Amino acid sequence: MNDNRPTPFHCFRDDALGHDDATSLAARIRSGEVSTLEVTRAAIARAQIAQPILNGVVAEDYERCLSAAARPGQADAPFAGVPTFIKDNTDVQNLPTGHGSAAVPASPADKTSPFAQQLLAQGFLCLGKSTLPEFGFNATTEPAHGQPTRNPWNPLFSSGASSGGSAAMVAAGVVPLAHANDGGGSIRIPAACCGLIGLKPTRGRVVDNDAAKTLPINIVSDGVVTRSVRDTAGFMAAAEEYFRNPRLPAIGQVFGPSGKQLRIGLVLDSINGHKTDPVTRSTVEDTARYLEKLGHIIEPIEVPVARSFPEDFTLYWAMLAFGVKVRGRKLVHPGFDKRKVDGLTNGLDRMFRRKCLNLPAALWRLKRSWHDYARHMATFDAVLTPVLGHTTPKLGHFSPTVPFDTLFERLTHYVCFTPLANATGAPAISVPMSLTRDGLPVSIQLMARHGDERTLLEIAYALEADHPSPLISRLSMHDYTAGAALMA
């Protein structure tokens, strides 16, 4: 091990949570080895240790969670009693939904959103709301009006975004699984930064929240970030029991690799012309070689979408910021104050106003991207790509206080692989595969045909079997107080 590596921060300890993933923890609760109340108390204790260092929680609900844990719950639910966090752009009754923005008043939600109901129906207990950047627009969880969310691998680095708070809490060991959603990479990016599994489901696979239904193209999918492939697979199987979309093939319960030979496309550089950095590129190439050893066919391919895609998706991203500023009181909260939005939102808004006449053609092409992708994927089972254009940056690199032109250029170099799955509606998964010399995770992305999450999970199981996540073994070597010392 490189002695110059920073000491990670974590909360893994000998308590009711132990080092379990959600699947194992749920089994221990069902067997009576630990009680839901013991597990909840342990998770709250860990959250209280982690929060001053990582800042991944924006609203606590500990007392109500303890009360729920003390009562008989959904004993037959697959994850009964397992603690979690729900991202702060998703309503949970009686908790505020702030969308990561100073422009949104912190008032309690009247009801629980449709996807949060789908998640909680699996037996999870919500400890509170996790942090995100303003409206999920940024690739780091660093609000202009508050403290950043820090990466447990090194608290001086970004935890990614927009589900950065959830990823930090899972990676640090506070909870084994947490809610995330993805409109341009916001499940996969923080999963990659924090060394987790992050699956963006096919469009329509899970219940849509109300906001997604208002979009001209629904680019948002909800899911979770986890420390194990089996937790992600178990979550998807349980979600399918709650809601089954008849237009998509069933996933079912996936327990491991399939053993089938697959034809997998390989993409190393993004369509926008930016070259992938050497460490990330090497990780993807090493993964391709490993998959070939497993018997799969790897073939370099062109990005399976039109060349206009980067500009079209950027305009759509800018349109969302424009929409928030113009209709925030109707879409977000009656007390929305557009004067308080951050520099990134304002910059995107200005960009859209300059280029809005191009929107109709961009929307037509983005809608066509579903067909372009499906046509290109007709002879491939999956595509292997980087998750991001380069390794995880330090905090401040993507701060919304950075001048907009500089920030925008940095973001387009970084977030250049994930948006394709959002526009096309395809499933995509982030899997950790290596570490940088500084000890930060590097992940790969796999994309599949529409509705074929099963293949992604099977490949992820195969990768995990021979490349187990270094997360728990690495973090458990250090006392949790080391992270606090690093920040002192």
Side-chain angles (χ1 to χ4, degrees), residues 92-156:
V92 175
Q93 189 175 32
N94 296 324
L95 286 179
T97 304
H99 295 274
S101 177
V104 181
S107 55
D110 295 330
K111 60 182 181 178
T112 297
S113 64
F115 178 79
Q117 292 179 36
Q118 184 177 22
L119 184 147
L120 295 174
Q122 299 188 25
F124 293 106
L125 294 180
C126 177
L127 293 175
K129 306 294 284 293
S130 61
T131 54
L132 75 154
E134 184 166 276
F135 304 112
F137 291 152
N138 208 340
T140 187
T141 305
E142 303 180 50
H145 63 281
Q147 292 297 308
T149 297
R150 299 178 181 275
N151 191 322
W153 290 88
N154 182 338
L156 300 178

Short mmCIF file of all heavy atoms in Angstrom, two decimals, residues 92-156:
data_model
loop_
_atom_site.label_atom_id
_atom_site.label_comp_id
_atom_site.label_asym_id
_atom_site.label_seq_id
_atom_site.Cartn_x
_atom_site.Cartn_y
_atom_site.Cartn_z
N VAL A 92 -40.97 12.80 1.26
CA VAL A 92 -41.35 11.87 2.32
C VAL A 92 -42.24 12.66 3.28
O VAL A 92 -41.85 13.74 3.75
CB VAL A 92 -40.12 11.31 3.07
CG1 VAL A 92 -40.56 10.43 4.24
CG2 VAL A 92 -39.22 10.53 2.12
N GLN A 93 -43.40 12.15 3.54
CA GLN A 93 -44.37 12.88 4.35
C GLN A 93 -43.76 13.36 5.66
O GLN A 93 -43.07 12.62 6.36
CB GLN A 93 -45.59 12.00 4.65
CG GLN A 93 -46.74 12.74 5.31
CD GLN A 93 -47.97 11.85 5.46
OE1 GLN A 93 -47.86 10.65 5.64
NE2 GLN A 93 -49.15 12.44 5.37
N ASN A 94 -43.99 14.63 5.97
CA ASN A 94 -43.55 15.31 7.21
C ASN A 94 -42.07 15.66 7.22
O ASN A 94 -41.58 16.20 8.22
CB ASN A 94 -43.90 14.49 8.45
CG ASN A 94 -45.40 14.34 8.64
OD1 ASN A 94 -46.15 15.26 8.34
ND2 ASN A 94 -45.82 13.18 9.10
N LEU A 95 -41.34 15.38 6.14
CA LEU A 95 -39.96 15.82 6.03
C LEU A 95 -39.87 16.89 4.93
O LEU A 95 -40.57 16.80 3.92
CB LEU A 95 -39.03 14.66 5.68
CG LEU A 95 -38.72 13.66 6.79
CD1 LEU A 95 -37.80 12.56 6.26
CD2 LEU A 95 -38.07 14.35 7.98
N PRO A 96 -38.99 17.88 5.11
CA PRO A 96 -38.84 18.89 4.06
C PRO A 96 -38.15 18.32 2.83
O PRO A 96 -37.37 17.37 2.92
CB PRO A 96 -37.96 19.96 4.72
CG PRO A 96 -37.21 19.22 5.78
CD PRO A 96 -38.13 18.14 6.27
N THR A 97 -38.46 18.90 1.66
CA THR A 97 -37.77 18.55 0.42
C THR A 97 -37.13 19.82 -0.10
O THR A 97 -37.81 20.70 -0.63
CB THR A 97 -38.75 17.98 -0.62
OG1 THR A 97 -39.43 16.86 -0.06
CG2 THR A 97 -38.02 17.54 -1.88
N GLY A 98 -35.82 19.92 0.05
CA GLY A 98 -35.14 21.17 -0.27
C GLY A 98 -34.48 21.22 -1.63
O GLY A 98 -34.03 22.28 -2.06
N HIS A 99 -34.36 20.08 -2.33
CA HIS A 99 -33.75 20.04 -3.67
C HIS A 99 -32.33 20.60 -3.68
O HIS A 99 -31.83 21.02 -4.72
CB HIS A 99 -34.62 20.78 -4.68
CG HIS A 99 -35.96 20.16 -4.91
ND1 HIS A 99 -36.17 19.15 -5.83
CD2 HIS A 99 -37.16 20.39 -4.31
CE1 HIS A 99 -37.44 18.79 -5.79
NE2 HIS A 99 -38.07 19.52 -4.89
N GLY A 100 -31.67 20.63 -2.53
CA GLY A 100 -30.29 21.12 -2.47
C GLY A 100 -30.14 22.60 -2.72
O GLY A 100 -29.03 23.07 -2.98
N SER A 101 -31.22 23.36 -2.63
CA SER A 101 -31.20 24.76 -3.04
C SER A 101 -31.63 25.70 -1.93
O SER A 101 -32.60 25.45 -1.22
CB SER A 101 -32.13 24.96 -4.25
OG SER A 101 -32.18 26.32 -4.62
N ALA A 102 -30.92 26.83 -1.82
CA ALA A 102 -31.31 27.88 -0.88
C ALA A 102 -32.59 28.58 -1.34
O ALA A 102 -33.22 29.30 -0.56
CB ALA A 102 -30.18 28.90 -0.75
N ALA A 103 -32.99 28.37 -2.59
CA ALA A 103 -34.18 29.02 -3.13
C ALA A 103 -35.47 28.34 -2.69
O ALA A 103 -36.56 28.87 -2.92
CB ALA A 103 -34.11 29.04 -4.65
N VAL A 104 -35.37 27.15 -2.06
CA VAL A 104 -36.56 26.37 -1.70
C VAL A 104 -36.75 26.38 -0.19
O VAL A 104 -35.86 25.94 0.55
CB VAL A 104 -36.43 24.92 -2.20
CG1 VAL A 104 -37.68 24.13 -1.85
CG2 VAL A 104 -36.19 24.89 -3.71
N PRO A 105 -37.88 26.88 0.31
CA PRO A 105 -38.13 26.87 1.75
C PRO A 105 -38.21 25.44 2.29
O PRO A 105 -38.68 24.53 1.61
CB PRO A 105 -39.48 27.57 1.89
CG PRO A 105 -39.66 28.33 0.62
CD PRO A 105 -38.96 27.53 -0.43
N ALA A 106 -37.75 25.25 3.52
CA ALA A 106 -37.74 23.92 4.13
C ALA A 106 -39.06 23.67 4.85
O ALA A 106 -39.16 23.81 6.07
CB ALA A 106 -36.57 23.81 5.10
N SER A 107 -40.09 23.31 4.10
CA SER A 107 -41.39 23.01 4.70
C SER A 107 -41.72 21.53 4.48
O SER A 107 -41.36 20.94 3.46
CB SER A 107 -42.48 23.88 4.09
OG SER A 107 -42.50 23.75 2.68
N PRO A 108 -42.41 20.90 5.46
CA PRO A 108 -42.67 19.46 5.37
C PRO A 108 -43.55 19.09 4.18
O PRO A 108 -44.47 19.84 3.82
CB PRO A 108 -43.38 19.14 6.69
CG PRO A 108 -43.13 20.30 7.57
CD PRO A 108 -42.92 21.49 6.69
N ALA A 109 -43.27 17.95 3.58
CA ALA A 109 -44.09 17.45 2.48
C ALA A 109 -45.41 16.90 3.01
O ALA A 109 -45.47 16.32 4.10
CB ALA A 109 -43.34 16.36 1.73
N ASP A 110 -46.47 17.07 2.23
CA ASP A 110 -47.80 16.59 2.64
C ASP A 110 -47.95 15.09 2.48
O ASP A 110 -48.74 14.47 3.19
CB ASP A 110 -48.88 17.29 1.80
CG ASP A 110 -48.95 18.78 2.06
OD1 ASP A 110 -48.62 19.20 3.20
OD2 ASP A 110 -49.30 19.53 1.13
N LYS A 111 -47.21 14.51 1.54
CA LYS A 111 -47.35 13.09 1.29
C LYS A 111 -46.03 12.51 0.81
O LYS A 111 -45.11 13.24 0.44
CB LYS A 111 -48.45 12.83 0.25
CG LYS A 111 -48.18 13.48 -1.10
CD LYS A 111 -49.32 13.24 -2.08
CE LYS A 111 -49.03 13.88 -3.44
NZ LYS A 111 -50.12 13.62 -4.41
N THR A 112 -45.95 11.20 0.81
CA THR A 112 -44.76 10.49 0.34
C THR A 112 -44.89 10.25 -1.16
O THR A 112 -45.94 9.81 -1.65
CB THR A 112 -44.60 9.16 1.08
OG1 THR A 112 -44.42 9.44 2.48
CG2 THR A 112 -43.40 8.37 0.59
N SER A 113 -43.82 10.53 -1.89
CA SER A 113 -43.84 10.42 -3.35
C SER A 113 -43.99 8.97 -3.80
O SER A 113 -43.69 8.04 -3.04
CB SER A 113 -42.56 11.01 -3.93
OG SER A 113 -41.46 10.23 -3.49
N PRO A 114 -44.44 8.75 -5.03
CA PRO A 114 -44.68 7.37 -5.50
C PRO A 114 -43.47 6.46 -5.41
O PRO A 114 -43.57 5.32 -4.96
CB PRO A 114 -45.13 7.57 -6.95
CG PRO A 114 -45.76 8.93 -6.96
CD PRO A 114 -44.94 9.75 -6.01
N PHE A 115 -42.27 6.92 -5.85
CA PHE A 115 -41.13 6.02 -5.77
C PHE A 115 -40.72 5.77 -4.33
O PHE A 115 -40.31 4.65 -3.99
CB PHE A 115 -39.93 6.54 -6.56
CG PHE A 115 -38.75 5.61 -6.41
CD1 PHE A 115 -38.70 4.44 -7.15
CD2 PHE A 115 -37.75 5.85 -5.49
CE1 PHE A 115 -37.65 3.54 -6.99
CE2 PHE A 115 -36.70 4.96 -5.31
CZ PHE A 115 -36.64 3.80 -6.07
N ALA A 116 -40.77 6.77 -3.47
CA ALA A 116 -40.42 6.55 -2.06
C ALA A 116 -41.35 5.49 -1.45
O ALA A 116 -40.92 4.67 -0.63
CB ALA A 116 -40.49 7.85 -1.27
N GLN A 117 -42.61 5.49 -1.86
CA GLN A 117 -43.53 4.44 -1.39
C GLN A 117 -43.06 3.07 -1.89
O GLN A 117 -43.10 2.08 -1.14
CB GLN A 117 -44.94 4.73 -1.90
CG GLN A 117 -45.59 5.96 -1.30
CD GLN A 117 -46.98 6.21 -1.87
OE1 GLN A 117 -47.72 5.27 -2.16
NE2 GLN A 117 -47.34 7.46 -2.05
N GLN A 118 -42.61 3.00 -3.14
CA GLN A 118 -42.13 1.74 -3.69
C GLN A 118 -40.91 1.25 -2.92
O GLN A 118 -40.78 0.05 -2.63
CB GLN A 118 -41.80 1.91 -5.17
CG GLN A 118 -41.37 0.61 -5.86
CD GLN A 118 -41.12 0.79 -7.35
OE1 GLN A 118 -40.86 1.89 -7.81
NE2 GLN A 118 -41.20 -0.30 -8.10
N LEU A 119 -40.01 2.15 -2.57
CA LEU A 119 -38.82 1.78 -1.82
C LEU A 119 -39.17 1.35 -0.40
O LEU A 119 -38.73 0.29 0.07
CB LEU A 119 -37.84 2.96 -1.80
CG LEU A 119 -36.48 2.74 -1.14
CD1 LEU A 119 -35.42 3.58 -1.84
CD2 LEU A 119 -36.49 3.09 0.34
N LEU A 120 -39.98 2.15 0.29
CA LEU A 120 -40.30 1.85 1.68
C LEU A 120 -41.15 0.59 1.82
O LEU A 120 -41.14 -0.07 2.87
CB LEU A 120 -41.00 3.05 2.32
CG LEU A 120 -40.13 4.32 2.44
CD1 LEU A 120 -40.96 5.49 2.93
CD2 LEU A 120 -38.94 4.08 3.35
N ALA A 121 -41.87 0.23 0.75
CA ALA A 121 -42.67 -1.00 0.78
C ALA A 121 -41.80 -2.24 0.92
O ALA A 121 -42.28 -3.31 1.30
CB ALA A 121 -43.52 -1.11 -0.49
N GLN A 122 -40.50 -2.12 0.64
CA GLN A 122 -39.58 -3.25 0.80
C GLN A 122 -39.15 -3.44 2.25
O GLN A 122 -38.39 -4.37 2.55
CB GLN A 122 -38.36 -3.05 -0.09
CG GLN A 122 -38.71 -2.97 -1.57
CD GLN A 122 -37.48 -2.96 -2.46
OE1 GLN A 122 -36.42 -3.45 -2.09
NE2 GLN A 122 -37.61 -2.41 -3.66
N GLY A 123 -39.64 -2.59 3.15
CA GLY A 123 -39.35 -2.74 4.57
C GLY A 123 -38.28 -1.80 5.11
O GLY A 123 -37.96 -1.84 6.30
N PHE A 124 -37.71 -0.97 4.25
CA PHE A 124 -36.68 -0.03 4.71
C PHE A 124 -37.26 0.99 5.68
O PHE A 124 -38.43 1.39 5.56
CB PHE A 124 -36.07 0.71 3.52
CG PHE A 124 -35.27 -0.15 2.60
CD1 PHE A 124 -35.77 -0.52 1.36
CD2 PHE A 124 -34.01 -0.61 2.97
CE1 PHE A 124 -35.04 -1.32 0.50
CE2 PHE A 124 -33.27 -1.41 2.12
CZ PHE A 124 -33.78 -1.76 0.88
N LEU A 125 -36.45 1.43 6.62
CA LEU A 125 -36.80 2.51 7.54
C LEU A 125 -35.98 3.73 7.17
O LEU A 125 -34.76 3.67 7.09
CB LEU A 125 -36.52 2.10 8.98
CG LEU A 125 -37.38 0.96 9.54
CD1 LEU A 125 -36.99 0.67 10.99
CD2 LEU A 125 -38.87 1.30 9.46
N CYS A 126 -36.66 4.86 6.94
CA CYS A 126 -36.00 6.07 6.48
C CYS A 126 -35.47 6.87 7.67
O CYS A 126 -36.25 7.36 8.50
CB CYS A 126 -36.97 6.92 5.67
SG CYS A 126 -36.28 8.48 5.11
N LEU A 127 -34.15 7.03 7.73
CA LEU A 127 -33.51 7.82 8.78
C LEU A 127 -33.57 9.32 8.50
O LEU A 127 -33.34 10.13 9.40
CB LEU A 127 -32.05 7.42 8.92
CG LEU A 127 -31.74 6.02 9.44
CD1 LEU A 127 -30.23 5.78 9.40
CD2 LEU A 127 -32.27 5.83 10.85
N GLY A 128 -33.84 9.70 7.26
CA GLY A 128 -33.88 11.11 6.91
C GLY A 128 -33.57 11.32 5.45
O GLY A 128 -33.66 10.40 4.64
N LYS A 129 -33.20 12.56 5.11
CA LYS A 129 -32.97 12.95 3.72
C LYS A 129 -31.48 13.18 3.49
O LYS A 129 -30.79 13.80 4.30
CB LYS A 129 -33.74 14.24 3.41
CG LYS A 129 -35.24 14.18 3.70
CD LYS A 129 -35.97 13.21 2.82
CE LYS A 129 -36.20 13.72 1.43
NZ LYS A 129 -37.13 14.86 1.36
N SER A 130 -30.98 12.70 2.35
CA SER A 130 -29.57 12.84 1.99
C SER A 130 -29.36 14.05 1.07
O SER A 130 -30.27 14.50 0.38
CB SER A 130 -29.05 11.57 1.33
OG SER A 130 -29.77 11.30 0.14
N THR A 131 -28.14 14.55 1.06
CA THR A 131 -27.82 15.79 0.36
C THR A 131 -27.68 15.60 -1.15
O THR A 131 -27.41 14.50 -1.64
CB THR A 131 -26.49 16.36 0.88
OG1 THR A 131 -25.48 15.34 0.78
CG2 THR A 131 -26.61 16.81 2.33
N LEU A 132 -27.86 16.71 -1.87
CA LEU A 132 -27.64 16.76 -3.31
C LEU A 132 -27.27 18.18 -3.68
O LEU A 132 -27.52 19.12 -2.92
CB LEU A 132 -28.89 16.32 -4.09
CG LEU A 132 -30.07 17.29 -4.17
CD1 LEU A 132 -30.89 17.00 -5.42
CD2 LEU A 132 -30.98 17.18 -2.95
N PRO A 133 -26.67 18.40 -4.86
CA PRO A 133 -26.43 19.77 -5.35
C PRO A 133 -27.76 20.37 -5.83
O PRO A 133 -28.75 19.65 -6.02
CB PRO A 133 -25.46 19.56 -6.50
CG PRO A 133 -25.78 18.19 -7.01
CD PRO A 133 -26.15 17.39 -5.79
N GLU A 134 -27.76 21.66 -6.06
CA GLU A 134 -29.00 22.35 -6.41
C GLU A 134 -29.70 21.71 -7.61
O GLU A 134 -29.17 21.65 -8.72
CB GLU A 134 -28.69 23.82 -6.73
CG GLU A 134 -29.94 24.64 -7.01
CD GLU A 134 -29.67 26.12 -6.98
OE1 GLU A 134 -29.69 26.71 -5.88
OE2 GLU A 134 -29.41 26.70 -8.06
N PHE A 135 -30.90 21.16 -7.34
CA PHE A 135 -31.77 20.53 -8.33
C PHE A 135 -31.09 19.39 -9.09
O PHE A 135 -31.55 18.99 -10.16
CB PHE A 135 -32.35 21.56 -9.31
CG PHE A 135 -33.09 22.66 -8.61
CD1 PHE A 135 -32.60 23.96 -8.61
CD2 PHE A 135 -34.25 22.39 -7.92
CE1 PHE A 135 -33.27 24.97 -7.94
CE2 PHE A 135 -34.93 23.39 -7.24
CZ PHE A 135 -34.44 24.69 -7.24
N GLY A 136 -29.98 18.88 -8.54
CA GLY A 136 -29.28 17.78 -9.19
C GLY A 136 -28.53 18.17 -10.44
O GLY A 136 -28.12 17.30 -11.22
N PHE A 137 -28.30 19.47 -10.66
CA PHE A 137 -27.69 19.92 -11.92
C PHE A 137 -26.18 19.69 -11.97
O PHE A 137 -25.61 19.62 -13.05
CB PHE A 137 -27.97 21.41 -12.16
CG PHE A 137 -29.40 21.74 -12.45
CD1 PHE A 137 -29.93 22.98 -12.13
CD2 PHE A 137 -30.24 20.82 -13.07
CE1 PHE A 137 -31.24 23.30 -12.41
CE2 PHE A 137 -31.56 21.12 -13.35
CZ PHE A 137 -32.07 22.37 -13.01
N ASN A 138 -25.52 19.59 -10.83
CA ASN A 138 -24.07 19.52 -10.80
C ASN A 138 -23.58 18.09 -10.64
O ASN A 138 -24.35 17.19 -10.30
CB ASN A 138 -23.53 20.39 -9.65
CG ASN A 138 -22.14 20.93 -9.91
OD1 ASN A 138 -21.39 20.40 -10.74
ND2 ASN A 138 -21.78 21.99 -9.20
N ALA A 139 -22.28 17.88 -10.85
CA ALA A 139 -21.68 16.55 -10.72
C ALA A 139 -20.91 16.41 -9.42
O ALA A 139 -20.15 15.47 -9.25
CB ALA A 139 -20.75 16.28 -11.90
N THR A 140 -21.11 17.34 -8.51
CA THR A 140 -20.54 17.26 -7.17
C THR A 140 -21.56 17.81 -6.19
O THR A 140 -22.37 18.67 -6.55
CB THR A 140 -19.23 18.06 -7.08
OG1 THR A 140 -18.62 17.83 -5.80
CG2 THR A 140 -19.46 19.54 -7.24
N THR A 141 -21.55 17.31 -4.96
CA THR A 141 -22.52 17.74 -3.96
C THR A 141 -21.86 18.82 -3.10
O THR A 141 -21.39 18.57 -2.00
CB THR A 141 -23.01 16.55 -3.14
OG1 THR A 141 -23.53 15.55 -4.03
CG2 THR A 141 -24.11 16.95 -2.17
N GLU A 142 -21.83 20.02 -3.67
CA GLU A 142 -21.20 21.17 -3.02
C GLU A 142 -22.11 22.38 -3.14
O GLU A 142 -21.92 23.21 -4.03
CB GLU A 142 -19.86 21.50 -3.66
CG GLU A 142 -18.84 20.40 -3.68
CD GLU A 142 -17.54 20.85 -4.35
OE1 GLU A 142 -17.01 21.92 -3.97
OE2 GLU A 142 -17.06 20.13 -5.24
N PRO A 143 -23.10 22.53 -2.29
CA PRO A 143 -24.01 23.68 -2.43
C PRO A 143 -23.27 25.00 -2.18
O PRO A 143 -22.38 25.09 -1.34
CB PRO A 143 -25.06 23.42 -1.35
CG PRO A 143 -24.38 22.56 -0.34
CD PRO A 143 -23.43 21.69 -1.13
N ALA A 144 -23.65 26.01 -2.93
CA ALA A 144 -23.03 27.32 -2.76
C ALA A 144 -23.37 27.92 -1.40
O ALA A 144 -22.61 28.74 -0.87
CB ALA A 144 -23.49 28.27 -3.88
N HIS A 145 -24.49 27.50 -0.81
CA HIS A 145 -24.97 28.10 0.43
C HIS A 145 -24.60 27.31 1.68
O HIS A 145 -25.03 27.66 2.79
CB HIS A 145 -26.50 28.24 0.38
CG HIS A 145 -27.20 26.92 0.29
ND1 HIS A 145 -27.30 26.22 -0.88
CD2 HIS A 145 -27.83 26.16 1.22
CE1 HIS A 145 -27.97 25.10 -0.69
NE2 HIS A 145 -28.29 25.04 0.59
N GLY A 146 -23.82 26.24 1.53
CA GLY A 146 -23.51 25.41 2.71
C GLY A 146 -22.25 24.60 2.52
O GLY A 146 -21.50 24.76 1.55
N GLN A 147 -22.06 23.66 3.44
CA GLN A 147 -20.87 22.82 3.44
C GLN A 147 -20.99 21.73 2.38
O GLN A 147 -22.08 21.24 2.10
CB GLN A 147 -20.66 22.18 4.81
CG GLN A 147 -20.30 23.18 5.90
CD GLN A 147 -18.98 23.86 5.60
OE1 GLN A 147 -17.97 23.21 5.33
NE2 GLN A 147 -18.99 25.19 5.63
N PRO A 148 -19.87 21.30 1.80
CA PRO A 148 -19.92 20.21 0.82
C PRO A 148 -20.12 18.86 1.48
O PRO A 148 -19.86 18.69 2.68
CB PRO A 148 -18.54 20.28 0.17
CG PRO A 148 -17.64 20.79 1.26
CD PRO A 148 -18.49 21.77 2.02
N THR A 149 -20.59 17.89 0.71
CA THR A 149 -20.58 16.50 1.13
C THR A 149 -19.25 15.91 0.70
O THR A 149 -18.83 16.06 -0.45
CB THR A 149 -21.76 15.73 0.50
OG1 THR A 149 -22.97 16.31 0.97
CG2 THR A 149 -21.71 14.26 0.88
N ARG A 150 -18.59 15.20 1.62
CA ARG A 150 -17.22 14.75 1.41
C ARG A 150 -17.18 13.25 1.11
O ARG A 150 -18.05 12.50 1.52
CB ARG A 150 -16.36 15.08 2.63
CG ARG A 150 -16.29 16.58 2.90
CD ARG A 150 -15.48 16.91 4.14
NE ARG A 150 -15.45 18.36 4.36
CZ ARG A 150 -14.58 19.19 3.80
NH1 ARG A 150 -13.64 18.71 2.98
NH2 ARG A 150 -14.62 20.48 4.04
N ASN A 151 -16.13 12.86 0.41
CA ASN A 151 -15.95 11.47 -0.01
C ASN A 151 -15.28 10.68 1.12
O ASN A 151 -14.20 11.06 1.57
CB ASN A 151 -15.07 11.44 -1.26
CG ASN A 151 -15.04 10.09 -1.93
OD1 ASN A 151 -15.04 9.05 -1.27
ND2 ASN A 151 -15.00 10.08 -3.25
N PRO A 152 -15.88 9.58 1.58
CA PRO A 152 -15.26 8.82 2.67
C PRO A 152 -13.87 8.29 2.35
O PRO A 152 -13.06 8.08 3.26
CB PRO A 152 -16.25 7.66 2.90
CG PRO A 152 -17.54 8.16 2.38
CD PRO A 152 -17.20 9.05 1.22
N TRP A 153 -13.58 8.07 1.07
CA TRP A 153 -12.24 7.57 0.71
C TRP A 153 -11.17 8.62 0.98
O TRP A 153 -10.03 8.29 1.28
CB TRP A 153 -12.22 7.18 -0.76
CG TRP A 153 -13.02 5.97 -1.04
CD1 TRP A 153 -14.35 5.91 -1.34
CD2 TRP A 153 -12.56 4.62 -1.04
NE1 TRP A 153 -14.74 4.61 -1.53
CE2 TRP A 153 -13.65 3.80 -1.36
CE3 TRP A 153 -11.31 4.04 -0.82
CZ2 TRP A 153 -13.55 2.42 -1.44
CZ3 TRP A 153 -11.21 2.65 -0.92
CH2 TRP A 153 -12.32 1.87 -1.22
N ASN A 154 -11.53 9.88 0.84
CA ASN A 154 -10.66 11.00 1.17
C ASN A 154 -11.56 12.23 1.28
O ASN A 154 -12.07 12.72 0.27
CB ASN A 154 -9.60 11.22 0.08
CG ASN A 154 -8.65 12.37 0.42
OD1 ASN A 154 -8.98 13.25 1.22
ND2 ASN A 154 -7.48 12.37 -0.19
N PRO A 155 -11.78 12.73 2.49
CA PRO A 155 -12.73 13.84 2.68
C PRO A 155 -12.35 15.15 2.01
O PRO A 155 -13.12 16.09 2.07
CB PRO A 155 -12.78 13.99 4.21
CG PRO A 155 -12.45 12.64 4.73
CD PRO A 155 -11.39 12.12 3.78
N LEU A 156 -11.20 15.21 1.35
CA LEU A 156 -10.84 16.40 0.59
C LEU A 156 -11.37 16.32 -0.85
O LEU A 156 -11.25 17.29 -1.59
CB LEU A 156 -9.32 16.59 0.57
CG LEU A 156 -8.66 16.76 1.94
CD1 LEU A 156 -7.15 16.88 1.78
CD2 LEU A 156 -9.22 17.97 2.67
#
